[in-house]
Amino acid sequence: DVKVTQSSRYLVKRTGEKVFLECVQDMDHENMFWYRQDPGLGLRLIYFSYDVKMKEKGDIPEGYSVSREKKERFSLILESASTNQTSMYLCASSPSGLAGPSFYNEQFFGPGTRLTVL
Amino acid sequence: KNEVEQSPQNLTAQEGEFITINCSYSVGISALHWLQQHPGGGIVSLFMLSSGKKKHGRLIATINIQEKHSSLHITASHPRDSAVYICAVNKGDGGSQGNLIFGKGTKLSVKP
């Protein structure tokens, strides 16, 4: 079974703190994603990575950065946390498609990290 | 307007009822996904389909490419089916890196 793990289920931080959210997958997937989920807005893509050291901005990258130094690990960084970054953060991974990038991409999700910024 | 719309937003059913959740999309897609999210946050993939119909246990997913519409059906619903059901699509011809566009979800509560 694919396993995607996230470093914390619940996290409370203060405004201005630097926050690291870690995601690890054990299926050698090329693609990894960070989403945030807010009531009434659904899941929104923050950043994704399709290879080690590669990253692409998603729909809402402002205030976030990412790091992918190893294939299995994708980190989301909040350089200076703000209250509007209080949210549920979900990591996912998927394999690349057989015929080039992502023809079929079932994504496997981690359990989520509920971050509260005070 | 959202590219992926789900209805209804909330649904309450009695145990045993047949349930239908709808998803409409306005873009070309390579695949459509149905996901389930239980309280506590974890998301699991139920179906990925690009045509026709798939069945898994009491769950059935259908898609009509011409009408840009998909339905998720639950037969003989049970309280453990209570969850948020999310429709998502892979946009385009598969040339992207697998990015999904998500609907806002349908919250289902099944009462005993």
Side-chain angles (χ1 to χ4, degrees), chain B residues 78-99:
Chain B
H78 190 275
R80 66 174 173 265
D81 297 327
S82 298
V84 174
Y85 292 85
I86 301 169
C87 174
V89 301
N90 288 106
K91 194 173 173 179
D93 60 1
S96 70
Q97 293 299 327
N99 299 358

Side-chain angles (χ1 to χ4, degrees), chain A residues 48-116:
Chain A
F48 66 100
S49 168
Y50 53 89
D51 203 352
V52 175
K53 296 191 185 295
M54 305 298 285
K55 60 184 179 183
E56 293 283 344
K57 293 180 180 179
D59 299 320
I60 50 163
E62 296 79 18
Y64 303 94
S65 62
V66 290
S67 172
R68 189 146 181 222
E69 296 297 316
K70 293 185 179 181
K71 191 174 186 180
E72 67 270 19
R73 186 180 297 270
F74 192 35
S75 302
L76 180 69
I77 303 154
L78 287 65
E79 295 288 343
S80 178
S82 63
T83 55
N84 63 11
Q85 292 178 309
T86 292
S87 187
M88 168 71 92
Y89 289 88
L90 288 147
C91 174
S93 72
S94 71
S96 283
L98 294 174
S102 79
F103 196 76
Y104 283 111
N105 279 75
E106 181 178 0
Q107 293 192 11
F108 298 86
F109 286 82
T113 296
R114 190 168 292 281
L115 172 67
T116 302

